[in-house]
Amino acid sequence: MRDDRQRIDKWLWHARLVRTRSAAAALAASGHVRLNGARIAAPAKPVKRGDVVTIALDARVRILKVTGFADRRGDAEAGRALYNDLTPAPAVPEERAAPVARREAGSGRPTKQDRRAIARFTRGHDC
C-alpha cells in the first residue's frame, strides 16, 4: 500500500463510516460522496492526506478532513484517528414561544372514566 493515498471506498471502510466495503463502494458510486467539493462517481478515486471528504449519510451531511490511512480496519478509536470532523454543530432550535398544546381538564373528548360516569348517570345502573 502507498502511504500517501488510498481508494475512497477503502478509506471510508477503514474510518468506520460504513459497515462493509461493498457499502462504501456503493455509497461512492451513488454520488453521495464529494472529494474537495467535486462529486465522485467511482469507488477507486484516490484520497490524499489533507483532502476534504463530504458524505451524505443517514440524513446528515458530514465534512471530514483526511489525516491518515490504515493498512487494516481497526476499532472505532483507530477509525476516528483517520480524520478530523469539520461538520458544524447543529443549530440550537429557538425555544418555542408557546408550550405544547394542553387541554384544560374537562374540555375536549371525555375520558374512559368520564364515559363510564355518564353511562351510570343516564342509564341509572353500573356498567
Side-chain angles (χ1 to χ4, degrees), residues 41-97:
K45 183 78 174 169
V47 292
K48 302 178 300 240
R49 249 182 206 89
D51 283 349
V52 177
V53 178
T54 307
I55 305 166
L57 188 64
D58 297 331
R60 289 182 27 191
V61 175
R62 294 188 67 184
I63 303 168
L64 310 170
K65 184 173 183 179
V66 178
T67 59
F69 305 105
D71 290 329
R72 300 183 62 158
R73 188 173 195 233
D75 59 358
E77 188 175 321
R80 281 190 297 271
L82 300 180
Y83 60 87
N84 287 336
D85 198 347
L86 305 176
T87 307
V92 178
E94 296 179 19
E95 292 187 34
R96 296 181 183 198

Side-chain angles (χ1 to χ4, degrees), residues 16-33:
R16 293 191 156 269
L17 298 168
V18 290
R19 294 184 75 158
T20 63
R21 181 139 176 227
S22 60
L27 183 68
S30 67
H32 294 292
V33 179

